[in-house]
Amino acid sequence: MDVHFMNFIYHYKNMRWAKGRNETYLCFVVKRRVGPNSLTFDFGHLRNRNGCHVELLFLRYLGRRLSYSITWFCSWSPCANCSAALSQFLSRMPNLRLRIFVARLYFCDMEDSHEREGLRLLQKAGVQVTVMSYKDYYYCWQTFVDRKKSHFKAWEDLHQNSVRLSRKLNRILQPCEMDLRDAFKLLGL
DNA sequence: ATTTTCAAT
């Protein structure tokens, strides 16, 4: 079952003030080894339900089956709790590669937000976290949305917003170790 | 300048 194109656009829109996105979509591709020389791909999508975040629902969906690599595209980046749960899950699955693409950053405005810490934890656990760019939207449209035959049409500012969010994520993941005073000293000010 | 956020009604 595909994501309705209207839902996709609404929930994955990477606008600055995404009012009313009180729901999170997760589109996934799970790659598994089914034999010595063959792989299988599972495609699908999930939404949060009954107060359970979609990442935890995904882990439940995955179950104990052995996977090789997982790529997902989420409308929000994970909360602190989900990041911790995912990191813990991955520590028990050393051969599993997880790549997470996100449309928007969830509660990452404050320097000391737990969500920022969570993203760094994921990075430390070997997860590749990336902000969705045009090509990722295009791929999702072709892969998960019910209007595959139509062309994905970017909204105004998609690229600009993606770049802004990407820079923000980079600042979160590569925190400058140097504090302001040291920076001034280095600059001779 | 400021605006939102895996709801709660």
Side-chain angles (χ1 to χ4, degrees):
Chain A
M1 204 55 189
D2 288 328
V3 180
H4 192 277
F5 77 103
M6 297 279 280
N7 286 335
F8 178 79
I9 289 173
Y10 181 74
H11 284 285
Y12 282 86
K13 208 161 196 175
N14 61 2
M15 62 221 270
R16 186 132 174 71
W17 313 114
K19 199 171 182 175
R21 272 68 176 180
N22 297 313
E23 223 174 10
T24 299
Y25 275 70
L26 187 157
C27 297
F28 60 83
V29 185
V30 178
K31 201 191 289 186
R32 288 197 183 87
R33 283 190 207 285
V34 287
N37 290 312
S38 56
L39 294 172
T40 160
F41 293 80
D42 287 340
F43 299 86
H45 75 276
L46 294 165
R47 281 188 294 173
N48 57 301
R49 283 195 189 291
N50 308 324
C52 188
H53 282 190
V54 71
E55 292 87 344
L56 301 185
L57 291 179
F58 178 83
L59 289 184
R60 197 179 298 170
Y61 158 84
L62 205 60
R64 304 184 68 79
R65 288 171 296 176
L66 216 54
S67 303
Y68 169 65
S69 90
I70 296 167
T71 302
W72 80 49
F73 303 85
C74 217
S75 53
W76 285 113
S77 62
C79 78
N81 278 335
C82 289
S83 292
L86 289 169
S87 303
Q88 192 172 29
F89 174 77
L90 285 166
S91 69
R92 287 182 278 118
M93 311 281 286
N95 293 318
L96 176 60
R97 178 179 72 153
L98 174 60
R99 294 188 295 175
I100 300 179
F101 291 85
V102 303
R104 297 180 306 269
L105 297 171
Y106 184 71
F107 280 112
C108 282
D109 284 349
M110 300 298 195
E111 284 291 333
D112 59 350
S113 91
H114 292 153
E115 276 62 34
R116 286 188 176 221
E117 269 309 321
L119 293 175
R120 287 191 280 266
L121 195 61
L122 283 176
Q123 188 182 46
K124 222 187 279 180
V127 181
Q128 181 195 315
V129 187
T130 312
V131 169
M132 286 173 71
S133 65
Y134 178 82
K135 69 176 192 328
D136 306 311
Y137 281 101
Y138 190 91
Y139 174 79
C140 281
W141 187 269
Q142 296 298 317
T143 310
F144 303 105
V145 178
D146 66 355
R147 291 275 170 113
K148 297 184 201 351
K149 286 182 181 165
S150 72
H151 201 68
F152 172 66
K153 194 175 180 307
W155 46 87
E156 199 186 359
D157 294 341
L158 182 153
H159 177 68
Q160 206 177 311
N161 287 333
S162 172
V163 168
R164 174 178 55 77
L165 287 166
S166 194
R167 287 197 185 119
K168 184 170 175 173
L169 179 60
N170 283 340
R171 282 198 302 272
I172 292 168
L173 295 181
Q174 299 165 5
C176 186
E177 295 293 333
M178 196 185 297
D179 78 6
L180 212 52
R181 202 170 308 187
D182 293 332
F184 284 144
K185 202 183 288 177
L186 185 75
L187 292 167
L189 297 174

